[in-house]
Amino acid sequence: MSLDDKNKQDKHSERRELLTALSNISQIGILIVSCVIIGVMAGRFLDNLFGTSPWLLLFFSLLGMAAAFKSIFDYFNRK
């Protein structure tokens, strides 16, 4: 194996690690945002349905945040 081949292989490995890290970071961001948005939407819908504004919105927002933390915890335990 020549030195040029080794340098190309090292650059390819570094690029792969960078893409993997970016993929993990973006997946964590999507997990957090989606869980919180689903909680907020469910809370707003139920508040409008039952007229309990803002209590169900607050409850489901907190529930969405808890779901986001659990999803992140599960994501890292899988890896």
Side-chain angles (χ1 to χ4, degrees):
M1 182 183 280
S2 71
L3 188 58
D4 287 336
D5 290 339
K6 182 151 176 62
N7 285 338
K8 287 180 184 178
Q9 197 173 34
D10 288 343
K11 286 182 183 180
H12 182 68
S13 177
E14 289 174 3
R15 187 175 297 147
R16 183 176 295 220
E17 288 177 16
L18 177 66
L19 289 176
T20 301
L22 288 173
S23 170
N24 288 336
I25 290 170
S26 65
Q27 189 166 2
I28 290 168
I30 290 170
L31 276 171
I32 292 171
V33 170
S34 62
C35 288
V36 172
I37 286 177
I38 289 171
V40 167
M41 289 174 53
R44 283 191 75 196
F45 174 75
L46 291 173
D47 270 341
N48 288 336
L49 188 65
F50 298 122
T52 57
S53 184
W55 300 112
L56 291 177
L57 173 66
L58 291 172
F59 176 73
F60 279 95
S61 296
L62 292 173
L63 195 64
M65 285 188 260
F69 283 118
K70 184 184 180 326
S71 295
I72 292 170
F73 181 75
D74 291 344
Y75 178 75
F76 281 115
N77 280 337
R78 270 186 278 159
K79 294 277 176 172

